[in-house]
Amino acid sequence: MTQILSSCKTQKTFSVWLTQGFSSQRDILMALNSSSIKSRITTIASHREQRDEILSMADVSVIEPKVDGCKFILEQTIAQQVDLVLVSHFNAKYEQQRDLFEQHGITLITGTRGANAHHVLEDKFEFTQQCQQADIAVVDAIKVESTLQLQNAINCLQQQGNVCVKPVVGVFAQGFWQLINDINYFDNLFDPTNYQVNTQQFIEAYDKQELKRPYLVMPFLSGEECSVDMFCVAGQVMNMVTRIKKDQWQEVLPIGPCDDIVIRLAQVFQLDGIINAQFRQDRQGKWYVLEVNSRPSGGIGMTLHSHINLMAECVAYYSKLSLNRLAPKTALVRAVSHSVEVGNLTHAKGLYHVL
């Protein structure tokens, strides 16, 4: 490991360390590699697994220890005089070490600043309450921690329309379900991308948990879904790109319908780094924020089709390097896949194709 990293100190370029991401690390490395500042920066990528299809995209690759990864990266970035560290996993743990990073001249990007800000973004109930206090359009939610509370909340909200549930803490897609009273129990087993489940089935499954995971019960919004990827500095949006999600493709827009809400969210939650916000419309077409993720999204690679390179903008800002830019444009983008050979194995990896 030391031999791999020893090459970093001799580099005269601006060095950027990207820790393991949520399905985004390869795309943000590709974004940097395709930018006009690539020859003037050194990219370092780390992962807890030997993911060659990701790590091979960086100038220097590192395997993170499965325990005390934050401590390891702090020590290595100090030793190698790294300039910028962008983290996607364990943001709050890195945030606790911010002073140590900054004492050594290292810029740390965790999505926001301060332990409380990270707690609020992670706790979807706290986030909902703060949005309401700030007069930001957010889906109302009832927090439940028992089977009885779950049943009562569902009965209450179903009088107004369709209902969905999601965990108070965790990644949005891992635990989100739309509750349907008359759907067949088997239906959701054969389509893992269809987040619908029989209401009684969900209640029964929840009841069987020994430790009841806190959940939010919410009205289900049936309108279009919107994802906004952004680069922020201390609560100010520097650049953003919107993706409107359709059945077979996504509309990529340099100017989107939720931009005003995004600006307000950045101010209220002091967003700082490469962030993603999720929105959805109700039947009347009004947009509501669902959540803000303090990390790059898995779909950030699609935003390049707008000619806005968020990762390059971020690195250019902190390195003070001049970035060549194309005029922003709209695009229709469809996800396709290709294989990447890794030793004796072949892994599928998503690409993006402009329609």
Side-chain angles (χ1 to χ4, degrees):
M1 192 70 63
T2 304
Q3 290 179 342
I4 295 175
L5 284 174
S6 63
S7 62
C8 298
K9 294 183 72 174
T10 61
Q11 295 286 342
K12 302 299 183 183
T13 54
F14 186 87
S15 53
V16 183
W17 188 311
L18 306 173
T19 69
Q20 180 175 336
F22 284 90
S23 304
S24 61
Q25 195 174 8
R26 189 174 191 272
D27 284 336
I28 58 180
L29 282 165
M30 289 178 66
L32 287 177
N33 290 345
S34 66
S35 72
S36 64
I37 61 174
K38 176 62 186 82
S39 62
R40 291 171 286 169
I41 65 175
T42 298
T43 55
I44 308 161
S46 59
H47 203 287
R48 292 192 296 279
E49 300 176 9
Q50 189 65 47
R51 296 290 299 275
D52 291 357
E53 77 279 18
I54 296 173
L55 299 178
S56 64
M57 304 296 295
D59 298 316
V60 180
S61 61
V62 180
I63 299 298
E64 298 178 16
K66 296 187 184 298
V67 180
D68 290 333
C70 178
K71 179 182 177 183
F72 168 81
I73 287 175
L74 173 61
E75 292 172 349
Q76 293 298 328
T77 52
I78 291 173
Q80 304 306 321
Q81 301 173 9
V82 172
D83 296 297
L84 173 67
V85 177
L86 184 143
V87 300
S88 295
H89 277 271
F90 311 114
N91 302 56
K93 288 185 179 180
Y94 281 92
E95 184 64 32
Q96 294 171 6
Q97 307 297 321
R98 176 177 292 279
D99 288 346
L100 293 176
F101 279 94
E102 293 184 345
Q103 283 171 18
H104 291 84
I106 302 169
T107 299
L108 178 67
I109 293 180
T110 66
T112 185
R113 287 174 168 262
N116 184 63
H118 278 280
H119 166 73
V120 172
L121 291 184
E122 188 68 17
D123 188 311
K124 304 304 186 288
F125 184 65
E126 292 276 354
F127 173 76
T128 298
Q129 289 187 313
Q130 289 210 15
C131 283
Q132 291 173 335
Q133 292 170 10
D135 199 28
I136 296 173
V138 64
V139 184
D140 202 2
I142 301 173
K143 183 178 179 180
V144 302
E145 298 180 85
S146 71
T147 305
L148 180 60
Q149 290 177 351
L150 175 65
Q151 290 174 315
N152 289 340
I154 291 171
N155 292 337
C156 174
L157 291 181
Q158 278 189 336
Q159 296 177 20
Q160 305 167 29
N162 293 333
V163 173
C164 63
V165 291
K166 70 177 181 181
V168 170
V169 176
V171 180
F172 177 73
Q174 297 176 359
F176 169 83
W177 294 101
Q178 181 187 358
L179 303 184
I180 308 293
N181 288 345
D182 56 358
I183 195 173
N184 187 290
Y185 271 33
F186 268 8
D187 284 358
N188 62 306
L189 299 179
F190 300 104
D191 185 0
T193 63
N194 184 4
Y195 298 106
Q196 294 183 337
V197 67
N198 181 282
T199 305
Q200 186 58 35
Q201 182 182 13
F202 183 84
I203 293 172
E204 292 171 7
Y206 187 84
D207 186 56
K208 292 186 182 300
Q209 293 185 105
E210 241 181 85
L211 294 174
K212 301 291 189 290
R213 185 181 183 183
Y215 256 80
L216 296 183
V217 183
M218 312 158 59
F220 177 74
L221 302 182
S222 57
E224 289 189 327
E225 187 178 349
C226 168
S227 180
V228 180
D229 297 289
M230 67 194 94
F231 164 47
C232 300
V233 176
Q236 181 180 356
V237 179
M238 311 299 287
N239 311 87
M240 57 182 156
V241 181
T242 293
R243 292 179 285 122
I244 306 291
K245 300 179 180 180
K246 307 293 185 177
D247 287 340
Q248 301 295 326
W249 62 80
Q250 296 192 24
E251 295 178 359
V252 179
L253 311 169
I255 299 175
C258 299
D259 287 359
D260 289 342
I261 308 177
V262 169
I263 292 170
R264 181 67 178 138
L265 285 168
Q267 294 170 341
V268 171
F269 296 102
Q270 284 298 288
L271 302 183
D272 187 75
I274 306 294
I275 321 293
N276 174 260
Q278 299 284 336
F279 301 85
R280 194 148 192 164
Q281 283 180 316
D282 63 12
R283 290 181 179 178
Q284 288 71 45
K286 181 178 179 179
W287 288 100
Y288 292 82
V289 61
L290 300 176
E291 64 180 4
V292 171
N293 299 304
S294 58
R295 56 185 176 269
S297 71
I300 194 169
M302 291 189 177
T303 62
L304 290 177
H305 294 294
S306 70
H307 288 172
I308 298 174
N309 189 329
L310 294 169
M311 193 62 213
E313 292 286 353
C314 173
V315 174
Y317 175 86
Y318 287 107
S319 64
K320 296 181 172 54
L321 293 171
S322 176
L323 179 66
N324 295 337
R325 300 175 176 88
L326 298 173
K329 71 182 187 71
T330 62
L332 297 182
V333 179
R334 175 175 292 151
V336 296
S337 65
H338 81 306
S339 61
V340 178
E341 187 172 345
V342 185
N344 295 322
L345 300 175
T346 301
H347 296 284
K349 177 60 192 174
L351 284 179
Y352 303 108
H353 172 66
V354 182
L355 295 176

